[in-house]
Amino acid sequence: MNEYIKPVEAFKKLEAAKLLKQNVYIYGATGYGKTELVKQYFKKDKYIYIPCRQNSCDLSVIPDECGRAVTVVIDNVNAIDSDELRSEIKELCRKKKLWVIILGRSMMPSWLYDTVVTCHMLIIPEEDLALNEEGIDKYMRSEGIILSEEELRFQRKCCEGNPFGVKYTAQQLLAGNRIGNELFEQNSIMFQSYLEKDIISELSSEIVDFLLKISIVDSFSEALASIITGNSAVYSLIERTMDSGNFLEKKNDVYTLRYQMKSALRRKAVKEISTNDLHNYAVLAGGYYESCGEDNKALELYAKYNDPDRIRELLIRNSRKSPESGYFIEMRKYYLMLSDKDIKNNAYLMSAMSMLYSMMLDFDKSEYWYNELKAYKNRTTGSKQREAICLIAYLDVGLSSRGSVNILQIIKDCYTLLTEKSLSVPEFSVTSNLPSLMNGGKDFCDWSKHDREIAATAGNIVCAFLGKYGKGLANAALAESFYEKGGDPYEIISLISKAKLEAEAGGKTELIFAANATLIRQYISHGEIDNARELLRSFEKTAQSENLHRLYPNIEAMRCRMALYSGDMDAVGQWMKTAPDESVMFIALERYRYLTKIRCYIAYENYDRAYALIETLRYYAQRCDRKYINMELDILTSVILFRKGDEWESRFIKALEKICEYRFIPIISEEGAAVYEMLSQCSDSCSRNKKINREWFERVVSETGRISRCYPMYLKATAKDFSKLQPMDIRILTCLADGLSIQETAVRLNMNYETLRSRIKEVYRKLNAKNKTEAVMTARGMKLI
């Protein structure tokens, strides 16, 4: 480099180590400037530099007796395999007259670990060597290159702060190239070539062979590594590999190859391993993924190594699952790769295509494959025809485009047909992994009108038709229906307890999730949010113990909704980073998370994006007869219109009319502070409206008011003037948060009582708060106090 850019943290730590006479271990991947750091630090001081090569490390240059302190730098220590040399290096670290600095590529060689601990060695990690945006900017300017902040961030991300990559980028920019993805790719190819020729070539043949084989996957466990390599004692090989360099990152017993090293290894593997052998390794890894239920990873490997037969076989097996447990959406590109001929020869594939297109909201193609399945049934006999009959019955119930009209009669007819023919329908998830039965796999709002009657007369048939998904269903569904209509809390708890016991005895955990969700909502509505959080945490442990990955996203969405209630916008912001991106593709199974995201948009006052997502969901809800979602969307739309100062009342009242038809309460009251003022303003209009029951409306207002008092920060519009708060305003808020009265606050702050009252009102205005409680919660939410 024309100008050495000093890594500040690394220099600080070296200074501290020198002062304390503390030995140092510096590590970082190739190119991070470990050797250059030492040269620059000791450019005015003498030191003994000992480079290591494979089992070569000349320690004889260190004098046996040192009259004064001597600095010894041992570079590339990962090249040492000799136990004798390793012991000598460890012994050097114990000599008082030596200041030993060891440079390595791996995070911590296992053979050196005890010495690092017992000798209290200071560690300087790769992160301390990496250049930040400021360092990159300084170097670029030394080369006469000026980059924008965005370009500096891009460069930092692409090069991971590696000075080697930064230097190469500067050379390319000086040659007339432009910064961007194309330059990054050129940079990567060059760096990978360097790794292949200068770094990988230094490793032992056994480690290289291991890395080449394992590079066909992005990450691996010890078990997967053993299967791919055929080595039952693979752990020691993994450990030696980690000792050889900072190639692998480990998290929760899963190892991941760093991007550039993985790419370099794959380039080398193509040149040195036959296509047939690579294919065999991919088949072994794919089989492991299939055994772990990670079919999508298996498909990626089969596609990459050109194995269409295994792709087809896996898709057929997957098509026998329910959409909630089969990764239909994730596998869509592979399903869409199948030829019509392949699909039409298999009833399960036709059923899967009909369901997949329905989930993608392409209802015409969904119906096409449904009709092809019916035609297949008419032209086949025996077991194939029986399969088709079962799958048609399954689609009649499960297709989202069928909605919920006459769904009870359809289930009865299907149950009778299948019973007479001694057939069984594929699994149908009544929840779709969502925290609801009424608004889960299907919309069952209409059932709620006659919940007790349906449970008594048809409950057994429905539960039998659903198999394992039916265990506990009747009680869980009644509990949710009663809750939606503001039923007796103790009866609801009793029904949920029975439902969970039934589901635990041979049923599905997904139903327990829905039952718990009803209880969580009840806790929240009663102001017991801590109990709600604890119940969700407890259930999350169950889901993790059973590896129910499909439930995790909706569990996190529920946690985000709790954060919205408590005004914890930090937690909301973290969840939004993981929320599904509706602009990429709308996925019907993500509807609970979409509805959560709408509320987050409202809380952030991002009304245009909220409204756009509402309209996308509305199209789905109307096409698929999702009454509950339609009503929910109408409420949220009204909130947006109200916040923006547009005409909202007529739309809100129409939503109330529809909801009143079902006598639902929480669908409104749970929106608490977001709708309470709206209810107050339209109270007179509602009292005159013949479609709105007066007693029901009064209860809605009462429940909403209570919840708004429990959670005054829920969907609270962001305070506009909080940046104008003065230090005295913060002191006032702190006193109020401590529970002091206005009189006590005046005494503490040595202020006139009336002056303080006026000042408090102004603080409320700045925070967009109506009272002390809201002001304190807003201030806490913004970390002002």
Side-chain angles (χ1 to χ4, degrees):
M1 291 183 176
N2 288 352
E3 179 182 342
Y4 178 72
I5 307 302
K6 183 168 68 174
V8 178
E9 284 302 315
F11 265 73
K12 282 182 181 178
K13 288 184 178 180
L14 276 173
E15 285 289 346
K18 183 179 181 179
L19 184 65
L20 298 171
K21 304 299 181 186
Q22 192 175 10
N23 293 333
V24 182
Y25 178 69
I26 305 173
Y27 76 85
T30 299
Y32 275 94
K34 303 179 291 295
T35 306
E36 188 64 25
L37 167 69
V38 171
K39 286 181 180 179
Q40 293 293 331
Y41 183 80
F42 291 112
K43 62 184 177 182
K44 295 182 180 178
D45 298 325
K46 290 183 179 180
Y47 65 98
I48 299 173
Y49 177 75
I50 305 173
C52 298
R53 294 175 179 83
Q54 197 157 12
N55 284 329
S56 172
C57 183
D58 186 8
L59 301 179
S60 64
V61 297
I62 304 172
D64 291 332
E65 296 296 331
C66 303
R68 58 183 179 78
V70 175
T71 301
V72 177
V73 177
I74 303 174
D75 198 356
N76 194 25
V77 74
N78 302 98
I80 302 300
D81 282 338
S82 165
D83 288 339
E84 182 179 350
L85 278 175
R86 288 176 174 179
S87 295
E88 289 182 31
I89 291 172
K90 292 166 71 173
E91 189 59 36
L92 288 175
C93 293
R94 294 182 171 85
K95 291 188 175 182
K96 293 184 178 179
K97 288 289 185 177
L98 296 181
W99 184 29
V100 181
I101 299 173
I102 300 176
L103 312 183
R105 287 196 298 265
S106 67
M107 188 175 294
M108 177 61 64
S110 56
W111 60 270
L112 192 59
Y113 181 77
D114 60 333
T115 304
V116 170
V117 174
T118 57
C119 296
H120 306 290
M121 290 181 72
L122 179 70
I123 297 175
I124 299 179
E126 183 176 288
E127 300 86 71
D128 290 344
L129 303 173
L131 294 177
N132 56 21
E133 284 91 339
E134 184 180 350
I136 295 172
D137 184 42
K138 190 173 181 180
Y139 175 75
M140 289 294 181
R141 287 177 183 273
S142 75
E143 296 281 3
I145 301 168
I146 307 297
L147 298 181
S148 67
E149 288 186 10
E150 184 178 351
E151 288 172 329
L152 287 169
R153 283 194 296 270
F154 178 82
Q155 179 66 12
R156 171 72 176 84
K157 180 181 178 182
C158 290
C159 294
E160 297 179 340
N162 190 315
F164 187 98
V166 173
K167 182 177 181 179
Y168 179 79
T169 300
Q171 292 172 354
Q172 294 302 305
L173 292 175
L174 290 170
N177 293 313
R178 297 181 63 183
I179 199 163
N181 288 322
E182 185 176 346
L183 180 57
F184 171 64
E185 288 301 322
Q186 294 175 9
N187 196 336
S188 294
I189 292 170
M190 183 279 304
F191 189 60
Q192 290 159 22
S193 177
Y194 166 73
L195 289 174
E196 183 180 345
K197 293 176 182 176
D198 292 7
I199 303 302
I200 297 174
S201 61
E202 292 184 3
L203 303 174
S204 72
S205 58
E206 190 178 10
I207 289 175
V208 172
D209 180 66
F210 166 73
L211 286 172
L212 291 177
K213 291 175 180 177
I214 209 68
S215 69
I216 67 166
V217 295
D218 292 330
S219 59
F220 60 92
S221 62
E222 184 182 338
L224 177 55
S226 178
I227 288 171
I228 293 174
T229 62
N231 185 344
S232 58
V234 75
Y235 179 75
S236 61
L237 192 53
I238 294 173
E239 191 174 65
R240 285 174 56 199
T241 302
M242 295 191 74
D243 284 350
S244 299
N246 201 17
F247 314 137
L248 294 173
E249 296 173 344
K250 182 182 179 183
K251 184 177 181 181
N252 298 329
D253 295 325
V254 174
Y255 302 87
T256 303
L257 277 164
R258 296 183 70 163
Y259 173 75
Q260 300 292 4
M261 176 58 77
K262 177 178 63 181
S263 299
L265 287 166
R266 286 177 176 174
R267 281 165 41 122
K268 187 175 178 66
V270 169
K271 290 183 282 188
E272 299 187 7
I273 302 177
S274 70
T275 302
N276 186 57
D277 283 345
L278 284 174
H279 173 265
N280 290 337
Y281 298 142
V283 169
L284 289 170
Y288 172 83
Y289 286 137
E290 288 190 57
S291 70
C292 296
E294 297 180 283
D295 292 350
N296 210 39
K297 289 185 178 180
L299 280 171
E300 288 176 12
L301 279 176
Y302 297 153
K304 182 177 179 180
Y305 292 96
N306 193 27
D307 198 333
D309 291 338
R310 289 184 185 274
I311 291 174
R312 184 175 178 278
E313 290 171 8
L314 196 158
L315 291 176
I316 290 173
R317 287 196 297 276
N318 186 72
S319 64
R320 297 172 185 267
K321 302 175 182 178
S322 70
E324 294 75 28
S325 57
Y327 291 76
F328 283 30
I329 288 292
E330 293 87 343
M331 295 181 182
R332 64 187 180 279
K333 69 177 180 180
Y334 303 108
Y335 276 109
L336 298 177
M337 285 166 53
L338 294 172
S339 67
D340 281 10
K341 181 180 177 181
D342 278 340
I343 299 170
K344 290 178 180 178
N345 284 332
N346 187 281
Y348 280 98
L349 285 179
M350 284 184 277
S351 171
M353 294 303 290
S354 179
M355 184 62 72
L356 175 61
Y357 277 118
S358 179
M359 293 163 67
M360 294 167 62
L361 306 190
D362 191 338
F363 301 115
D364 291 339
K365 287 184 179 178
S366 175
E367 287 300 313
Y368 170 80
W369 285 113
Y370 174 83
N371 291 324
E372 285 296 321
L373 180 58
K374 292 183 76 173
Y376 174 88
K377 182 204 74 171
N378 294 332
R379 68 174 181 266
T380 55
T381 58
S383 61
K384 290 186 176 181
Q385 187 179 68
R386 289 195 294 274
E387 279 182 355
I389 291 171
C390 292
L391 291 168
I392 290 168
Y394 168 73
L395 292 175
D396 283 337
V397 175
L399 284 177
S400 57
S401 55
R402 293 290 190 273
S404 303
V405 178
N406 299 322
I407 188 67
L408 182 56
Q409 189 59 48
I410 292 172
I411 290 176
K412 287 180 178 179
D413 292 345
C414 289
Y415 179 74
T416 301
L417 172 67
L418 298 174
T419 302
E420 289 175 353
K421 293 182 176 290
S422 299
L423 302 175
S424 59
V425 73
E427 282 190 344
F428 172 77
S429 172
V430 74
T431 70
S432 291
N433 293 318
L434 304 178
S436 175
L437 290 165
M438 183 176 295
N439 190 24
K442 286 285 184 178
D443 182 290
F444 293 105
C445 285
D446 289 336
W447 287 26
S448 184
K449 294 178 180 179
H450 312 286
D451 45 23
R452 293 186 190 271
E453 179 185 344
I454 292 174
T457 59
N460 290 337
I461 292 176
V462 173
C463 291
F465 176 78
L466 294 171
K468 289 184 178 180
Y469 280 96
K471 290 185 177 295
L473 173 67
N475 284 318
L478 280 174
E480 186 172 348
S481 180
F482 292 172
Y483 172 74
E484 291 288 356
K485 293 183 289 189
D488 178 8
Y490 298 104
E491 184 178 12
I492 292 168
I493 292 172
S494 176
L495 288 167
I496 289 172
S497 298
K498 293 175 185 176
K500 288 164 68 173
L501 288 172
E502 291 168 349
E504 287 166 359
K508 289 287 187 176
T509 307
E510 290 92 327
L511 189 133
I512 298 175
F513 180 39
N516 276 333
T518 300
L519 188 52
I520 285 169
R521 291 174 67 192
Q522 181 163 286
Y523 280 144
I524 292 172
S525 68
H526 291 169
E528 301 172 19
I529 198 165
D530 288 339
N531 286 339
R533 289 195 181 102
E534 182 55 40
L535 179 56
L536 186 62
R537 273 195 296 268
S538 176
F539 176 78
E540 185 176 26
K541 291 178 182 177
T542 300
Q544 289 171 345
S545 67
E546 298 181 19
N547 293 318
L548 297 174
H549 304 286
R550 289 295 195 150
L551 296 181
Y552 297 173
N554 288 323
I555 289 173
E556 288 303 321
M558 289 189 73
R559 187 168 284 120
C560 176
R561 293 197 183 200
M562 292 182 198
L564 285 169
Y565 277 115
S566 57
D568 185 356
M569 297 308 293
D570 286 343
V572 172
Q574 288 300 314
W575 181 82
M576 284 290 278
K577 293 177 182 178
T578 66
D581 187 350
E582 68 276 8
S583 63
V584 174
M585 181 182 182
F586 179 85
I587 302 172
L589 289 175
E590 297 282 21
R591 51 191 176 271
Y592 181 76
R593 295 212 289 165
Y594 289 143
L595 287 162
T596 304
K597 195 173 184 182
I598 290 169
R599 290 168 168 84
C600 295
Y601 281 146
I602 292 173
Y604 283 120
E605 300 183 72
N606 198 338
Y607 300 132
D608 289 342
R609 294 199 68 176
Y611 190 77
L613 182 50
I614 283 173
E615 289 306 301
T616 304
L617 267 171
R618 197 188 304 281
Y619 171 78
Y620 158 75
Q622 290 174 348
R623 286 297 304 266
C624 300
D625 192 31
R626 307 292 306 206
K627 297 181 177 67
Y628 195 98
I629 291 178
N630 262 318
M631 292 185 286
E632 196 171 355
L633 294 175
D634 284 341
I635 292 293
L636 294 172
T637 302
S638 300
V639 170
I640 292 172
L641 295 174
F642 178 77
R643 294 274 179 91
K644 293 180 71 175
D646 297 332
E647 185 357 77
W648 59 274
E649 189 168 343
S650 59
R651 186 158 201 159
F652 188 54
I653 290 175
K654 284 182 180 178
L656 294 177
E657 290 173 358
K658 189 63 178 176
I659 296 169
C660 180
E661 179 186 330
Y662 295 96
R663 294 297 193 271
F664 292 164
I665 294 174
I667 192 173
I668 305 168
S669 65
E670 286 179 354
E671 300 307 321
V675 299
Y676 185 62
E677 188 174 343
M678 296 163 62
L679 288 169
S680 300
Q681 290 191 26
C682 70
S683 177
D684 290 342
S685 299
C686 289
S687 65
R688 296 191 299 268
N689 191 316
K690 293 181 179 179
K691 294 182 180 180
I692 297 178
N693 179 275
R694 187 176 185 83
E695 183 181 346
W696 170 84
F697 181 76
E698 288 176 353
R699 186 164 180 200
V700 167
V701 173
S702 175
E703 289 294 308
T704 307
R706 183 170 56 78
I707 292 176
S708 68
R709 288 188 293 275
C710 290
Y711 312 106
M713 294 304 299
Y714 177 70
L715 303 194
K716 182 74 173 177
T718 306
K720 300 294 186 184
D721 296 335
F722 76 91
S723 60
K724 297 179 182 178
L725 288 172
Q726 302 299 316
M728 180 56 74
D729 296 333
I730 304 299
R731 293 178 66 190
I732 290 170
L733 284 165
T734 302
C735 291
L736 296 178
D738 289 342
L740 272 64
S741 66
I742 296 179
Q743 185 66 53
E744 291 168 330
T745 302
V747 172
R748 175 178 290 187
L749 301 179
N750 194 27
M751 290 181 67
N752 177 272
Y753 179 82
E754 292 301 326
T755 301
L756 177 60
R757 284 189 61 186
S758 178
R759 184 88 181 234
I760 288 174
K761 288 180 181 179
E762 182 62 16
V763 170
Y764 289 176
R765 186 196 65 76
K766 290 178 181 179
L767 293 175
N768 195 22
K770 296 176 183 175
N771 51 44
K772 171 184 171 181
T773 302
E774 284 193 20
V776 169
M777 291 189 71
T778 299
R780 283 175 174 162
M782 293 175 175
K783 311 297 188 209
L784 298 174
I785 58 174

